[in-house]
């Protein structure tokens, strides 16, 4: 099954591009809570059909992605995404999966990121999990080598707003205002937080040696330049 990474809402005319490890599950679930009517189903990726509540798959979490590419719609709708500091994002990848991979040294995880992800996803028949491995820029322009929704499509010309993980709540509220979702008479009190790792790191910067810091700067130089990130920010 093709992993889907795009959420489209026709009532409010928005499209959300979910870059992995950039709070996409939290953003998607909050949008579901604010827009889904009783009885509606949101179709996701690889759901086993069991739900803990409407719109939330027992195995894979919030269902939030569907629809194929339609250029006219992408021009008309409000398109947004969230980006994240690449150094912080790599630590998030490590917290999320290093135990599954059997890799405990951060240095090894960083330098073998693609290979350990691919081996684990192949061994566990979770091919779609490879969507975590592209850079944020490659993800948005569809330049990756496996059959994931969005391959070969450059979405960047259609994006109206780049939110930042580091400014998540404020940027998300800006999006709600833009797409016309009024939260006045709802129970909304902030963005819903999901996919929190049990592995705690108080300060992601402490994970880096100077060598690893420079390695990430080279590996994700395009993300750093395109989205204006620095290690110390």
């Amino acid at each position: 099954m093709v992993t889907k990474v795009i959420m489209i809402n026709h009532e409010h005319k928005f499209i959300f591009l979910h870059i992995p490890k950039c709070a996409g599950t939290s953003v998607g679930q909050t949008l579901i809570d604010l827009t889904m009517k009783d009885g509606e189903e949101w179709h996701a990726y690889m759901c086993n059909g069991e739900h803990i509540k409407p719109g939330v798959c027992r195995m894979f979490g919030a269902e939030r992605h569907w629809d194929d590419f339609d250029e006219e719609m992408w021009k008309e709708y409000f398109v947004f995404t969230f980006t994240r500091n690449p150094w912080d994002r790599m630590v998030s990848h490590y917290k999320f999966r290093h135990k599954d991979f059997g890799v405990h040294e951060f240095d090894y995880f960083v330098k073998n990121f693609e290979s350990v992800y691919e081996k684990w996803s192949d061994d566990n028949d979770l091919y779609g999990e490879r969507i975590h491995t592209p850079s944020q820029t490659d993800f948005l322009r569809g330049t990756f080598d496996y059959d994931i929704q969005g391959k070969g499509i450059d979405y960047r010309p259609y994006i109206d707003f780049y939110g930042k993980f580091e400014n998540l709540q404020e940027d998300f509220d800006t999006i709600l205002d833009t797409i016309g979702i009024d939260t006045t008479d709802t129970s909304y009190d902030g963005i819903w937080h999901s996919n929190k790792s049990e592995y705690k790191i108080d300060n992601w910067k402490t994970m880096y040696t100077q060598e690893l810091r420079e390695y990430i700067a080279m590996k994700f130089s395009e993300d750093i330049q395109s989205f204006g990130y620095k290690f110390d920010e």
Side-chain angles (χ1 to χ4, degrees):
M1 180 176 290
V2 175
T3 297
K4 299 182 179 181
V5 291
I6 300 163
M7 174 180 184
I8 301 177
N9 181 285
H10 300 298
E11 179 183 358
H12 296 279
K13 294 188 174 181
F14 70 78
I15 301 174
F16 167 46
L17 282 161
H18 175 185
I19 302 174
K21 307 312 296 178
C22 294
T25 300
S26 296
V27 170
Q29 183 59 51
T30 305
L31 288 169
I32 287 174
D33 291 343
L34 291 171
T35 62
M36 189 172 68
K37 299 178 177 64
D38 291 341
E40 286 185 332
E41 293 184 3
W42 294 58
H43 301 291
Y45 46 87
M46 300 181 292
C47 180
N48 65 356
E50 298 180 14
H51 297 77
I52 57 175
K53 66 176 184 177
V56 181
C57 176
R58 179 176 299 279
M59 182 174 295
F60 293 102
E63 300 186 20
R64 58 200 181 281
H65 307 304
W66 74 101
D67 281 15
D68 294 322
F69 181 74
D70 179 334
E71 185 172 17
E72 291 305 312
M73 181 173 62
W74 281 73
K75 290 178 179 179
E76 177 185 357
Y77 285 19
F78 181 74
V79 182
F80 65 93
T81 191
F82 278 85
T83 65
R84 187 173 188 171
N85 183 307
W87 290 279
D88 181 23
R89 184 170 180 253
M90 181 57 74
V91 173
S92 181
H93 279 301
Y94 174 76
K95 290 165 60 179
F96 184 55
R97 284 293 186 210
H98 78 280
K99 290 184 179 179
D100 293 330
F101 297 163
V103 175
H104 299 288
E105 292 185 3
F106 184 59
D107 184 284
Y108 183 89
F109 181 89
V110 172
K111 293 179 180 178
N112 298 275
F113 179 57
E114 287 84 0
S115 61
V116 295
Y117 229 117
E118 289 175 8
K119 182 180 186 308
W120 175 82
S121 61
D122 287 347
D123 289 347
N124 292 276
D125 196 26
L126 292 172
Y127 188 68
E129 285 290 300
R130 293 190 185 183
I131 195 60
H132 288 81
T133 60
S135 70
Q136 296 171 80
T137 305
D138 282 344
F139 174 91
L140 292 175
R141 67 182 169 209
T143 49
F144 34 84
D145 297 329
Y146 31 88
D147 189 19
I148 304 295
Q149 183 189 39
K151 178 181 178 180
I153 300 174
D154 188 348
Y155 292 112
R156 293 173 299 168
Y158 307 100
I159 297 175
D160 300 295
F161 183 80
Y162 286 86
K164 288 197 170 185
F165 175 89
E166 297 77 16
N167 198 38
L168 182 61
Q169 187 62 62
E170 183 176 343
D171 286 349
F172 184 73
D173 287 340
T174 297
I175 290 165
L176 293 183
D177 289 341
T178 303
I179 61 181
I181 294 180
D182 185 2
T183 62
T184 303
D185 297 323
T186 71
S187 60
Y188 173 75
D189 61 355
I191 198 163
W192 187 81
H193 292 284
S194 177
N195 271 6
K196 288 185 177 181
S197 171
E198 296 179 358
Y199 186 81
K200 303 299 181 184
I201 297 174
D202 292 333
N203 184 348
W204 58 261
K205 296 177 185 178
T206 63
M207 299 290 290
Y208 284 94
T209 62
Q210 185 63 32
E211 179 191 5
L212 277 186
R213 176 176 169 176
E214 293 173 358
Y215 181 87
I216 292 294
M218 291 290 294
K219 184 177 181 64
F220 298 110
S221 59
E222 196 168 11
D223 288 352
I224 292 165
Q225 181 176 359
S226 297
F227 306 128
Y229 283 111
K230 297 179 180 178
F231 180 81
D232 293 321
E233 292 182 349

